[in-house]
Amino acid sequence: MKAANPSSFERTPSADVPPVLEVRGVWKTFGDAVAVESVSFDVADGEFLFLIGPSGCGKTTTLRMIGGYLEPTRGDIYIRGRRMNDVPLEKRNIGMVFQSYALFPHMTVAENVAFGLRMRGVPKRERAERIANVLDLVELSEFADRYPVQLSGGQRQRVAIARVVVYEPDILLLDEPLANLDRRLRDSMRVELKKLQEKVGITTVYVTHDQEEALSMADRIAVMEGGHLLQLGTPSEVYNSPKSPFVATFLGNTSSYQATVSSVDGTFTDLEIDGGLTVRVVNGGDLEPGENCLVSVRPERVALFKASPPEDQNVFRGQIDFLSYLGAGVEYIIRIDGTDVTIRAHEALPAGQPSHREGESVYVAWEPGQTVYLKG
Amino acid sequence: MTVVETDLGGYQKTVVDRLAPYAKYLLLSPMILLMLGFFVIPLLWLLRISFYESRGASGFGIGGAAGQEGGGFYVEGTWTLDNYVRFFTDDYFMSVMMFTIGFALLVTLVTMILAYPMAYYIYRAPPKLKTALILIVILPKLSNMLVLVYGLQMLLANNGLVNELIMLVGVSDEPIKLVYTLFSATVSKVLLVIPYTILVITATLHTLDPSLREASRGLGASPFKTFWLVTFPLSVPGTLIALLITIVWALGAFVSPSLLGNPETQTLRSRFRSRRSRT
Ligand SMILES: Nc1ncnc2c1ncn2[C@@H]1O[C@H](COP(=O)(O)OP(=O)(O)O)[C@@H](O)[C@H]1O
Ligand SMILES: [Mg+2]
């Protein structure tokens, strides 16, 4: 098992500051259907937490329960230590950015942003000042008197954020805020959002089904599937040390196989893949011979060699079945000789031309430590 | 739109080619023909007749049938403004017109006051209740208008159910005159118009993005403020259409006042006069 890459830019919640948000054993059922099942997590002050999972896994439902738009069937939600279950949503001081933005079409940008301040009885002069500041922050100052229909998608989205950031909510909730934007805008808004969140320092829960968004922006990621929270950790933890097959395959590309432990010796363990390959992994000390497990390896950890592959690695000879050109890189699918096992390898292309061709015979190699295994 | 005419290699545009872009207007033609034949042309004809000289006779065919020498109640082929002068200077005609307008405004006011809350309630109701309520609103429209008005006449009669209830409860010892009053005329007209008003407002409310209401609550507005600052202003355009429909319908009031109103126009006129002079 690969240890997490400790990187300096990842903030982890510190123990001395109490969490801003605590979700404790929360369930939500609609009739007989269970949408969210026993979900628990904490979000620290200023943390950027991502809820990620496939469509229908219960992300929106979880977010709406935090915001007070839905009542949990069971379980408790605390904000700054205060139980929120029976607090009506207008009393929660939470900022929710809807996927549709939900800007008031009959109000100008400034009036939309003023709404939350008016409801909090902020005096007119202070209101004007704070609106000006926040519009400056999202670079929409010259659009203050426009109506939402007169704005582009990206501008509307920034208004939706300004509208809630302006009253300094305890928690910012975002439901797939970039899903309605085109690709280029999405990429630049990703950077903008992350910068903004750091600048304002607001505790944020962000829902997405886009793993790139989650990996690039999150302090921590909570992976959900079928109403369950499967794993919660830093991006590199969930990417490099998935605790379940679902997490392993959902985040990023991977080649994964069912395998049986064939022999255990000290640091290394040999696993027999169903197709007939033997793969070597670094033993975490928890594998017994005969046990079943899932092994996987990331395409970017797999190297290709025309000849003389390195020793002490997992090395197999195979043939390139398929090559897909991705612009910044190439992905190869290689079939291992004498088996039906295929493996993906990723090659970055700083110089432009792929090093291999379809049909070519190559050696694939990766370090045993790069193989992830999951028991069961 | 700018269309660049290109040389199509000697291809000559046929008549069909030139007409093709207008084909979509064919869809409108049945409706337009109906409107023209049964509404616009008769109306224009009526307008023309209004400028004919009167023969002085008051009725249809009195003094001989139309077309005969000296028959009909107008003289064909003449032009005069006399009819208009008479209409606008005659107290009787003016009072009828003022009553019509006043009655329409009253009916519209009552209808709107009753319809909006009902429409809002339907909008917010859970799905099953919503269906049931919409059915209840439409149901009176399945019966004939005359059946409805006569039924109301019986209900409001001196020995009708309403008066029996009034006496049973003890509000009054003798029946209150309800039928043939402005009250009963208004009630029947409102009942006839209100289903349309309710349906139009309900439909308008349903076009609003429900997340707007949620957003408003999330930003700190109470349910009432959410209604007042978000839902209501956004429903105004559709509600104005409902208002327009109601006014037009009420202006065309004929059956209700004549079957349930007071036949003595004199009383109606004076009642309306005194009401008007007070305001
Ligand atoms: N109001 C509702 N009534 C019934 N089922 C619902 C409702 N809202 C969500 N669900 C169901 O709950 C599950 C989770 O939905 P949701 O939280 O919206 O998923 P996600 O946001 O992850 O795509 C889905 O199966 C969905 O069909
Ligand atoms: Mg969702």
Side-chain angles (χ1 to χ4, degrees), chain A residues 147-373:
Chain A
Y147 284 90
V149 286
Q150 299 169 303
L151 301 177
S152 71
Q155 289 166 338
R156 277 180 220 181
Q157 203 246 22
R158 267 140 57 201
V159 176
I161 291 171
R163 184 170 73 169
V164 293
V165 168
V166 71
Y167 60 82
E168 292 168 3
D170 290 326
I171 302 170
L172 179 63
L173 303 177
L174 299 144
D175 192 357
E176 313 221 11
L178 305 182
N180 292 337
L181 305 179
D182 62 49
R183 163 123 205 177
R184 270 182 45 177
L185 193 55
R186 204 157 61 218
D187 289 348
S188 66
M189 282 305 296
R190 210 151 78 189
V191 179
E192 295 297 315
L193 258 180
K194 175 79 181 164
K195 277 193 199 156
L196 185 73
Q197 197 268 346
E198 279 173 357
K199 202 161 16 167
V200 182
I202 193 170
T203 309
T204 306
V205 181
Y206 185 121
V207 160
T208 182
H209 63 264
D210 183 331
Q211 38 127 346
E212 271 182 52
E213 254 166 64
L215 290 170
S216 64
M217 295 162 79
D219 289 331
R220 284 193 305 158
I221 296 176
V223 186
M224 289 186 70
E225 192 219 0
H228 296 272
L229 199 167
L230 296 181
Q231 191 173 352
L232 179 62
T234 63
S236 67
E237 272 165 20
V238 290
Y239 187 78
N240 294 311
S241 322
K243 291 207 166 56
S244 61
F246 180 82
V247 177
T249 49
F250 187 74
L251 285 169
N253 258 328
T254 189
S255 313
S256 46
Y257 316 94
Q258 280 309 132
T260 317
V261 179
S262 46
S263 73
V264 181
D265 91 54
T267 39
F268 294 117
T269 301
D270 287 338
L271 299 165
E272 177 123 351
I273 289 178
D274 283 356
L277 288 187
T278 303
V279 174
R280 176 156 282 216
V281 304
V282 174
N283 188 1
D286 54 349
L287 288 178
E288 302 290 331
E291 257 185 316
N292 289 325
C293 59
L294 184 99
V295 294
S296 60
V297 59
R298 296 282 181 193
E300 65 270 21
R301 314 271 191 238
V302 177
L304 299 186
F305 300 90
K306 288 192 203 302
S308 60
E311 289 170 23
D312 298 334
Q313 292 200 2
N314 286 304
V315 177
F316 304 99
R317 196 171 169 76
Q319 202 179 31
I320 296 176
D321 246 9
F322 195 76
L323 175 161
S324 29
Y325 183 68
L326 305 171
V330 182
E331 183 155 291
Y332 302 100
I333 297 178
I334 303 108
R335 196 159 45 76
I336 307 299
D337 288 351
T339 69
D340 283 334
V341 178
T342 58
I343 187 164
R344 291 155 181 268
H346 187 90
E347 181 184 37
L349 281 184
Q353 283 308 307
S355 328
H356 308 278
R357 268 195 294 274
E358 251 173 52
E360 199 177 298
S361 268
V362 288
Y363 290 101
V364 297
W366 72 93
E367 284 174 27
Q370 303 285 11
T371 323
V372 174
Y373 65 84

Side-chain angles (χ1 to χ4, degrees), chain A residues 55-56 59-61 99 175-176 207:
Chain A
S55 188
K59 308 178 295 288
T60 298
T61 305
Q99 193 174 339
D175 192 357
E176 313 221 11
V207 160

